[in-house]
Amino acid sequence: MSPISPLPAIAALCIATLPAALLARKFGTSAPHRRFAPLDGLRGLLAFLVFLHHACIWYFYLRLGNWGRPPSILYTQFGQASVALFFMITALLFWNKLIDAEGRAIDWLRLFVSRLLRLAPLYLLAVGLLLIGVAIRSRGMLNESPFELAAHVGAWLLFTLPGEPDVNRILDTRLLIAGVNWSLPYEWLFYGVLPLCALGFGLRPSWRVIALALSFCLGMFWWQPVMAKLWPFAGGIAAAHLLRLRDWSAIAVGPFGSLVAVACLGAACVLFPTVHTPAALGLLALFFFFVAAGNSLFGVLVHPVFRLLGDIGYSVYLLHGLLLYVTFEWVLGHERAARLSETGHWLVVLGCVPVLIVLSYVSFRTVELPAMQRVDRLTAWCRTVQQRARQSLR
């Protein structure tokens, strides 16, 4: 079996549906998004494709020592196109908030609290596991000064906005989580500029919110994001406006729309070696518009199995790199894993699939969901602190 054959990806997705179906039947799934139900299932599929992207990269990394794009357009796009669509989902959901506000005030405090509780708890868990991995690789020895160690750990705790340094001089620390952390600063950048974008909709955020957004943007210039990676957000913004045109939305729904959407996605993932081209992004944006308009791809994206995958998508995204690292580096050992045949490599990956689904479900129920359920409580506490601070200054 070729290391870049699509057959392992198909087999992995089929295997993933089995534990997902059992979990969905026994525990149920979260209520579908009231307005964009197919996006829940799409999110789960995309996270799983990123796992397959890195599983393919591991095959070549074990043999060549180079962590980079696999020599396959399909497996490359499993990673690049999936993250681009993640960015489109973010842009659509939050740009819609600006459009729907129609001059009314947006609760910016609650919005940012909800984002913090959505992204931070699981990320901190992943970083904690990464640091445990660093300690194991370091055999408990301190290889840098305490100041350097604190600075490097701090950079990771801040979503690697100050950079993604090697911790305790463990080369390529980021590979313990497959480097998936790179996308999170771009998510924060989009959230940070939203109050400034709100001005264009006639909204008037408080001067504190504007000052915070400007400070955040200035900090992002220091971070120096790659501008090409910001373009997918434009696809989500465009979809938010196109969805207001009923004629376009009506065309997107139905079997014909499903065929067109699948064709666009297939062309983007097979014909273009990178997502960072106008044609590839255009095809992905068209596919995304069809799904955002309500096209569930013949009902697949609203099926309970894919809704459950959507629930655990963030956990799959953040934790799969750790699972692959532990499997290949510690369970099998680097040298033994490097001697596996192509079929052997993919059989190991297929064995990881049910472990990943169950592990991600546990982290969703114990870390993600409890945090999301505390948004209103934390928002109220923050308001109380604000009021007390204002009273003390009078």
Side-chain angles (χ1 to χ4, degrees):
M1 182 183 296
S2 168
I4 57 175
S5 168
L7 294 180
I10 297 172
L13 187 58
C14 291
I15 292 173
T17 62
L18 298 178
L22 292 174
L23 290 169
R25 180 177 298 178
K26 184 172 180 61
F27 301 107
T29 65
S30 298
H33 195 290
R34 288 177 296 177
R35 190 170 178 183
F36 304 109
L39 294 185
D40 296 330
L42 178 63
R43 189 183 293 110
L45 176 62
L46 298 178
F48 193 76
L49 292 180
V50 174
F51 160 69
L52 294 174
H53 167 75
H54 288 128
C56 185
I57 288 177
W58 263 101
Y59 177 86
F60 297 97
Y61 173 71
L62 287 166
R63 289 151 183 80
L64 304 176
N66 179 40
W67 185 271
R69 281 194 231 165
S72 162
I73 293 177
L74 180 63
Y75 280 95
T76 294
Q77 294 291 26
F78 277 175
Q80 291 189 1
S82 293
V83 175
L85 287 166
F86 276 136
F87 289 166
M88 291 184 194
I89 292 173
T90 295
L92 169 69
L93 295 179
F94 288 90
W95 201 260
N96 258 312
K97 292 181 182 296
L98 302 186
I99 298 175
D100 291 342
E102 296 180 349
R104 298 190 302 272
I106 289 179
D107 189 344
W108 293 104
L109 176 61
R110 189 182 189 285
L111 187 149
F112 285 114
V113 167
S114 71
R115 292 302 86 200
L116 182 65
L117 291 182
R118 184 68 187 95
L119 298 182
L122 184 64
Y123 176 76
L124 294 178
L125 172 63
V127 171
L129 294 173
L130 176 143
L131 295 176
I132 292 173
V134 167
I136 293 173
R137 284 192 55 182
S138 305
R139 298 182 179 180
M141 298 181 64
L142 189 62
N143 298 325
E144 57 187 1
S145 71
F147 177 79
E148 289 176 318
L149 181 64
H152 294 161
V153 171
W156 277 93
L157 293 176
L158 291 173
F159 289 89
T160 63
L161 286 169
E164 48 180 24
D166 292 334
V167 179
N168 204 28
R169 297 183 183 173
I170 295 301
L171 188 63
D172 290 329
T173 296
R174 65 188 180 89
L175 298 190
L176 272 77
I177 58 171
V180 296
N181 54 286
W182 76 265
S183 66
L184 297 181
Y186 288 90
E187 294 271 349
W188 281 114
L189 174 59
F190 184 80
Y191 301 141
V193 301
L194 274 178
L196 302 180
C197 297
L199 297 173
F201 289 85
L203 305 176
R204 294 292 181 268
S206 69
W207 67 267
R208 294 182 182 85
V209 173
I210 293 295
L212 180 63
L214 288 172
S215 300
F216 191 82
C217 292
L218 290 174
M220 283 296 179
F221 279 114
W222 171 64
W223 167 53
Q224 295 182 340
V226 178
M227 299 308 296
K229 295 179 179 180
L230 294 172
W231 279 111
F233 289 104
I237 292 172
H241 289 283
L242 287 174
L243 289 174
R244 266 66 186 176
L245 305 176
R246 294 183 180 178
D247 292 341
W248 283 98
S249 297
I251 294 173
V253 181
F256 177 75
S258 296
L259 290 173
V260 174
V262 170
C264 289
L265 180 63
C269 292
V270 173
L271 300 180
F272 301 93
T274 175
V275 76
H276 303 300
T277 62
L281 275 178
L283 287 169
L284 283 179
L286 185 57
F287 162 79
F288 177 73
F289 167 70
F290 276 58
V291 175
N295 196 303
S296 62
L297 304 186
F298 305 103
V300 170
L301 297 182
V302 294
H303 191 277
V305 168
F306 279 85
R307 289 215 311 270
L308 185 130
L309 290 177
D311 287 343
I312 66 174
Y314 187 43
S315 286
V316 169
Y317 183 74
L318 277 188
L319 300 181
H320 76 266
L322 284 161
L323 177 61
L324 289 172
Y325 187 92
V326 169
T327 300
F328 288 121
E329 292 288 355
W330 293 342
V331 176
L332 292 175
H334 189 99
E335 293 184 1
R336 183 182 176 189
R339 292 196 299 268
L340 289 172
S341 66
E342 294 93 337
T343 301
H345 176 86
W346 281 113
L347 286 175
V348 170
V349 172
L350 294 180
C352 290
V353 170
V355 178
L356 176 63
I357 299 302
V358 173
L359 175 66
S360 298
Y361 185 79
V362 170
S363 69
F364 169 73
R365 292 299 296 263
T366 60
V367 179
E368 292 185 71
L369 190 58
M372 289 187 286
Q373 291 172 340
R374 287 170 170 78
V375 170
D376 290 334
R377 186 184 306 175
L378 181 57
T379 302
W381 180 82
C382 290
R383 285 206 173 92
T384 300
V385 171
Q386 280 184 337
Q387 291 172 357
R388 290 176 180 175
R390 288 172 186 169
Q391 291 173 356
S392 65
L393 293 174
R394 290 176 183 175

